[in-house]
Amino acid sequence: MKSAVETVDATKVKLTVEVPFAELKPSIDHAYAHIGGEISVPGFRKGKVPPRIVDQRVGKAAVLEHAINDGLSGFYSEAVRENKLRPLGQPEIEVTQVPDLTSTDSELHFVAQVEVRPEIEIPALDTLNVVVDDVTVTDEDVAGRLDALRERFGTLVGVDRPANEGDFVVLDLEATVDGEQVDNVSGISYQIGSGNMLEGLDEALTGLSAGETTSFTAPLAGGEHEGEEAQVTVTATTVKQRDLPAADDDFAQLASEFDTLAELDADLREQASAAKASGRAVQARDALLEQLLAAIEIPVPAGAIETEVVRHLESENRLEDAEHRVEVTEQATTALRNQILLDTLAESLEIKVNQNELLEYLVSASRQYGMDPNTFIKTIDEQGQVPAMVAEVARSKAIAVALRRVSIADASGSAVDLSEYIGSDSDDAATDAIQASIDAATAEGDDEAVVAGDVVAADDADIVFDDETPAKA
């Protein structure tokens, strides 16, 4: 098979492919066998109809069409691999020449136009400087954590006054569209300010006393009428405030392993310091991505963006919502631009994803979906999504490795070590060595291989998990 690539623009190429008759022959044989198994010809058993009889019954054109449809995706994929292309969508394929079934010298020719990942150049990472915040824990930080802990042990008490932010209101709610009731709930408890129900509900409840009713309009957040403006009537049946326990030694003994409030405060200060230190890893990641995106012009394939926008809008049944389309288009463009950057970064850093890293990611993802890890992995595999998962792990690993190459300092100018959160090159080397030993053992035919931690792969079809630890960010 011969193939050639012509660049159409920064994000699209035209792939011209010529397939010799000999390489198409298996698909032709399969076409004759398949069609011969579906037609009934007196004197022949199904599946035993000779090719010449198939030609007489359905025509050579039908056989060729079946053979080309059967083999085209494979020939396209092979040409993509040979030319090291990175498609970002489905190709537009045009068959420009069909072979002659009577001539082994004939060929199948086709042209495929497809959007591809654009070529971009990553700046030298050792020239980049990332600045993160100083780790400074204030009394307010400690007080905030103490208050949050006190709220967990607080009690709700009914009050005879208008509701304020932070209060809990037991309410009845009815929503109508064009005078028709579309939803109603009764006796639910809602905290003013949480913002996890209808838009405008917080404002409507603020100032409302027990037994009072008010109305407002809001877009519905779900159901058959999602997005439609509804007339909402809400009645506050009870207003409650949360009374917090006193912050003293007794509370420290109730809420922690400490005997005194001073000891609890010291522990909360350490927790706040650790949280801020961890947050600097995320801050450094975001700052590095921002620098790279600002330094690189990344063209984005319009077709890939449109495909994602349509998919998103169709899933929400909002194809005709022009305003939402603009918002989704912006989000899809940003996401794809980030993906192109991280994929290129992973390639430039020669990132490899080992089995343990992939399993850790899949376990973490299964928890987010509330699924059993084995069931989740089986579903991902059946849907052909494993390569996409590997790519996600590679992107995450690429940004972590990149952060080891740049200079990171705090606002005071002191160097910052984030290895606790982003790993180190020595960690990667050790993990690669473990993976190499696993691969070697597998190659020698071992039935069982231990993959670090508590994750064990018994074989390719049955992965058993014990006490897994999520991958580092």
Side-chain angles (χ1 to χ4, degrees):
M1 189 182 78
K2 299 178 183 178
S3 62
V5 176
E6 175 187 340
T7 299
V8 177
D9 57 40
T11 61
K12 182 179 288 188
V13 299
K14 181 169 75 173
L15 189 60
T16 303
V17 183
E18 300 176 359
V19 184
F21 187 90
E23 294 188 35
L24 184 62
K25 185 66 163 55
S27 294
I28 294 174
D29 293 341
H30 176 269
Y32 276 118
H34 183 83
I35 296 173
E38 291 189 335
I39 62 176
S40 297
V41 179
F44 296 97
R45 287 179 297 166
K46 275 195 173 184
K48 300 296 183 180
V49 181
R52 61 182 179 81
I53 303 299
V54 173
D55 289 343
Q56 293 174 2
R57 285 301 182 98
V58 303
K60 292 181 179 180
V63 175
L64 266 177
E65 181 180 0
H66 191 291
I68 291 172
N69 288 336
D70 178 62
L72 203 58
S73 63
F75 298 134
Y76 166 74
S77 298
E78 183 180 345
V80 165
R81 288 191 298 271
E82 284 183 354
N83 292 278
K84 298 180 179 179
L85 300 178
R86 307 175 189 86
L88 289 177
Q90 295 299 316
E92 296 178 2
I93 297 179
E94 178 186 2
V95 176
T96 56
Q97 178 180 305
V98 296
D100 182 350
L101 289 180
T102 63
S103 173
T104 57
D105 293 330
S106 60
E107 295 182 334
L108 165 68
H109 292 183
F110 67 89
V111 173
Q113 290 202 53
V114 63
E115 290 183 320
V116 295
R117 196 181 85 197
E119 297 291 337
I120 60 175
E121 186 174 347
I122 304 294
L125 296 174
D126 57 7
T127 65
L128 301 180
N129 299 298
V130 172
V131 178
V132 296
D133 294 335
D134 293 327
V135 174
T136 303
V137 179
T138 65
D139 291 341
E140 289 74 17
D141 294 328
V142 178
R145 286 179 172 268
L146 180 60
D147 287 344
L149 187 59
R150 291 169 64 204
E151 286 183 1
R152 290 170 54 189
F153 289 85
T155 56
L156 294 180
V157 179
V159 292
D160 185 17
R161 60 165 174 76
N164 297 317
E165 183 172 354
D167 286 340
F168 289 78
V169 178
V170 178
L171 57 85
D172 299 335
L173 182 147
E174 179 188 55
T176 61
V177 174
D178 296 331
E180 178 184 352
Q181 184 185 95
V182 296
D183 196 11
N184 74 293
V185 291
S186 298
I188 64 169
S189 179
Y190 175 77
Q191 185 178 23
I192 299 177
S194 61
N196 56 12
M197 282 188 67
L198 286 174
E199 180 182 320
L201 181 60
D202 290 332
E203 293 79 2
L205 289 175
T206 300
L208 213 62
S209 297
E212 293 183 339
T213 300
T214 189
S215 298
F216 63 100
T217 59
L220 294 176
E224 181 183 349
H225 297 274
E226 180 180 356
E228 294 184 33
E229 286 289 327
Q231 182 71 20
V232 181
T233 301
V234 60
T235 299
T237 61
T238 308
V239 178
K240 298 180 179 181
Q241 69 179 19
R242 176 181 274 149
D243 286 349
L244 304 183
D248 53 22
D249 291 347
D250 289 340
F251 174 70
Q253 295 167 21
L254 171 69
S256 71
E257 71 272 27
F258 302 108
D259 293 327
T260 67
L261 181 63
E263 291 174 318
L264 176 57
D265 279 348
D267 184 68
L268 293 175
R269 188 173 294 274
E270 289 182 9
Q271 291 181 29
S273 178
K276 288 196 173 187
S278 175
R280 294 201 298 184
V282 176
Q283 186 183 12
R285 177 201 66 192
D286 294 344
L288 177 56
L289 283 175
E290 185 177 341
Q291 279 195 46
L292 291 173
L293 289 169
I296 307 170
E297 183 67 29
I298 304 178
V300 180
I305 294 296
E306 178 62 16
T307 298
E308 174 59 23
V309 169
V310 170
R311 184 202 64 78
H312 184 101
L313 294 177
E314 284 182 338
S315 70
E316 297 181 336
N317 196 26
R318 299 174 68 177
L319 267 176
E320 306 304 320
D321 190 335
E323 184 177 347
H324 188 47
R325 172 180 281 269
V326 172
E327 179 185 350
V328 173
T329 299
E330 183 178 342
Q331 293 171 350
T333 301
T334 298
L336 185 54
R337 185 173 284 116
N338 289 344
Q339 177 183 313
I340 292 170
L341 171 63
L342 292 176
D343 286 344
T344 305
L345 181 64
E347 188 175 281
S348 68
L349 293 172
E350 299 181 348
I351 297 297
K352 293 180 175 60
V353 176
N354 60 53
Q355 186 181 29
N356 185 46
E357 291 166 334
L358 176 60
L359 290 178
E360 285 182 339
Y361 177 83
L362 292 174
V363 169
S364 180
S366 71
R367 287 169 175 162
Q368 293 178 21
Y369 285 98
M371 293 178 64
D372 170 72
N374 286 311
T375 303
F376 180 77
I377 291 176
K378 182 179 179 182
T379 302
I380 290 295
D381 186 37
E382 290 174 347
Q383 294 176 349
Q385 292 298 308
V386 171
M389 300 296 103
V390 172
E392 281 298 318
V393 178
R395 292 170 193 139
S396 178
K397 188 174 179 179
I399 195 66
V401 172
L403 283 171
R404 303 174 201 163
R405 306 285 190 268
V406 305
S407 297
I408 304 176
D410 60 23
S412 302
S414 301
V416 174
D417 180 8
L418 295 177
S419 58
E420 179 181 352
Y421 312 104
I422 63 175
S424 65
D425 292 341
S426 59
D427 292 337
D428 287 348
T431 303
D432 290 343
I434 293 173
Q435 186 64 45
S437 67
I438 293 169
D439 294 341
T442 303
E444 291 173 4
D446 285 3
D447 293 329
E448 197 172 86
V450 178
V451 191
D454 296 315
V455 183
V456 177
D459 53 52
D460 290 339
D462 184 18
I463 301 176
V464 182
F465 299 86
D466 294 324
D467 184 20
E468 307 86 352
T469 302
K472 290 181 180 178

